[in-house]
Amino acid sequence: MSTLIDNQKKGYLYENFRLFHLKDKSNQEFEYHFHDFDKIIIFLSGTVTYLIEGKAYYLKPWDILLVNHHDIHRPIIDAANTYERIIIWIKPDYIEQQKNNSTDITACFTKAIEKSFNLIRLESDLLQKIQYLISELETALLSEEFGSDLLSNSLFIQFMVYLNRIFLREQYTNDTSFLKYDKQTEEVIRYINQHLSEPLSNQKLAHEFYLSKYYLMHKFKEETGYSIHNYILHKRLLLSVEYLKDGIPVMKAAQLSGFGDYSSFLRSFRKLFHKSPRDFMNSNEMNVSNNNKKLL
């Protein structure tokens, strides 16, 4: 899917999931960006602060971060120390397909959105099982032995089931000393994401939260790295993509996503995704067709 947006959308995922074990020491700086896949980050070493949707997480070894597709995020890395982490990219459609009436392994990502909380920090007894599953999964993914692909999928599902049990039962530390965020900005972000289909403006948000418009604009930019206008625009465009994937007609998708002006929607969509909504729908249908062929 050719939807790369310079300095904003990062990475391609063609597999159902992909695991990276990375260890480096560099002065690389990351800008705020997002993905169209879900991501799990297992922090192993270094000095890193991870910013996700206006919240700063100060990481300790074996902290786990749940980053939803379309979450705006970036790490701040101290280059003086070696940064080691395991990153798992997950295709949302794939884990969606794994759920049944009693089990939904996407629940941890859904819950992270509801709680506006993305971090799992475990005590040693619960951590041991995570470490074992990750080690087994890494080994299976590198193996060329018979059935290693099936074993990898099985271990990945086990890992996701265990992670959901921990997160949904809140079996992680409640210490908030590792977390820094502005409460008002969190409330503004939550309000925006719950009202994307409605008219939103700096003036309306300032009135809603009894703040000076200019103070709100400055504070939001400072906490999220985005202007309010660009944040709302990107979130609406990403929402429109979800509607288009569901087969909703372009004009209806634009309306449901909060665009009152269809020409502005088309212009913004092309600028962000480098293709028209109709071209996007056609390419998405092609991808679905190709995936169905693989299943035959």
Side-chain angles (χ1 to χ4, degrees):
M1 181 173 60
S2 55
T3 60
L4 179 65
I5 306 155
D6 295 338
N7 298 325
Q8 292 173 328
K9 177 181 178 294
K10 301 291 185 183
Y12 294 90
L13 179 60
Y14 299 105
E15 304 91 342
N16 289 328
F17 68 91
R18 192 173 179 190
L19 184 147
F20 306 85
H21 192 145
L22 306 173
K23 187 175 183 180
D24 48 53
K25 189 175 182 179
S26 69
N27 291 317
Q28 183 179 9
E29 291 189 10
F30 292 85
E31 296 188 7
Y32 282 99
H33 61 280
F34 58 88
H35 309 279
D36 56 12
F37 47 80
D38 296 319
K39 180 164 74 169
I40 295 173
I41 302 161
I42 303 172
F43 174 72
L44 300 179
S45 70
T47 305
V48 177
T49 302
Y50 225 98
L51 308 179
I52 306 175
E53 292 283 333
K55 288 191 173 182
Y57 298 91
Y58 301 93
L59 301 181
K60 292 177 62 176
W62 286 98
D63 278 351
I64 301 171
L65 286 169
L66 302 172
V67 184
N68 284 273
H69 61 290
H70 303 165
D71 273 355
I72 294 169
H73 61 283
R74 78 179 179 102
I76 300 175
I77 304 164
D78 183 348
N81 300 302
T82 299
Y83 177 28
E84 184 177 5
R85 67 278 191 198
I86 294 169
I87 298 175
I88 304 175
W89 292 357
I90 310 164
K91 190 175 290 185
D93 291 347
Y94 171 64
I95 54 173
E96 186 76 21
Q97 291 165 5
Q98 308 308 311
K99 72 179 183 181
N100 56 35
N101 292 333
S102 60
T103 304
D104 177 8
I105 59 173
T106 68
C108 59
F109 290 104
T110 305
K111 194 71 172 178
I113 294 174
E114 292 174 358
K115 292 167 64 71
S116 298
F117 189 76
N118 302 77
L119 187 137
I120 300 173
R121 178 171 291 174
L122 300 174
E123 301 296 340
S124 59
D125 55 334
L126 294 174
L127 181 56
Q128 289 176 4
K129 182 68 176 290
I130 289 285
Q131 292 171 327
Y132 169 78
L133 288 171
I134 285 294
S135 175
E136 291 293 300
L137 177 57
E138 280 195 273
T139 301
L141 286 169
L142 293 171
S143 173
E144 296 182 356
E145 291 189 34
F146 173 82
S148 58
D149 54 341
L150 291 176
L151 182 58
S152 298
N153 283 326
S154 173
L155 288 165
F156 171 73
I157 296 300
Q158 287 184 59
F159 170 75
M160 289 302 301
V161 167
Y162 188 63
L163 201 63
N164 271 275
R165 287 179 178 177
I166 289 169
F167 196 64
L168 298 179
R169 294 173 183 169
E170 298 188 0
Q171 294 176 311
Y172 47 84
T173 179
N174 290 317
D175 177 21
T176 58
S177 61
F178 57 82
L179 177 63
K180 178 181 177 293
Y181 67 101
D182 179 74
K183 183 65 175 176
Q184 282 185 325
T185 304
E186 180 194 32
E187 291 173 354
V188 172
I189 289 173
R190 187 187 298 274
Y191 183 89
I192 288 171
N193 283 287
Q194 290 176 346
H195 297 83
L196 284 172
S197 63
E198 304 170 17
L200 292 171
S201 66
N202 293 341
Q203 188 64 48
K204 176 178 172 58
L205 290 169
H207 177 76
E208 184 72 30
F209 290 93
Y210 304 101
L211 297 171
S212 156
K213 179 176 73 171
Y214 298 104
Y215 172 82
L216 175 61
M217 291 166 62
H218 171 76
K219 192 68 175 175
F220 193 92
K221 175 75 172 180
E222 181 182 53
E223 295 293 331
T224 68
Y226 271 64
S227 69
I228 293 175
H229 171 77
N230 281 336
Y231 182 86
I232 293 171
L233 178 63
H234 284 185
K235 288 293 182 173
R236 282 176 168 165
L237 289 168
L238 294 169
L239 179 60
S240 75
V241 165
E242 297 302 315
Y243 286 130
L244 294 174
K245 285 180 179 179
D246 290 339
I248 293 175
V250 176
M251 291 188 68
K252 184 66 173 177
Q255 181 184 7
L256 291 173
S257 303
F259 288 93
D261 181 0
Y262 183 65
S263 61
S264 296
F265 166 71
L266 290 178
R267 185 169 57 252
S268 299
F269 194 99
R270 286 195 182 98
K271 183 177 180 180
L272 191 60
F273 297 109
H274 303 304
K275 61 175 64 177
S276 72
R278 296 193 187 281
D279 287 341
F280 176 86
M281 290 185 74
N282 290 336
S283 64
N284 191 56
E285 288 171 2
M286 183 66 72
N287 289 335
V288 170
S289 176
N290 289 337
N291 287 337
N292 288 339
K293 288 177 182 177
K294 292 176 183 178
L295 295 174
L296 294 177

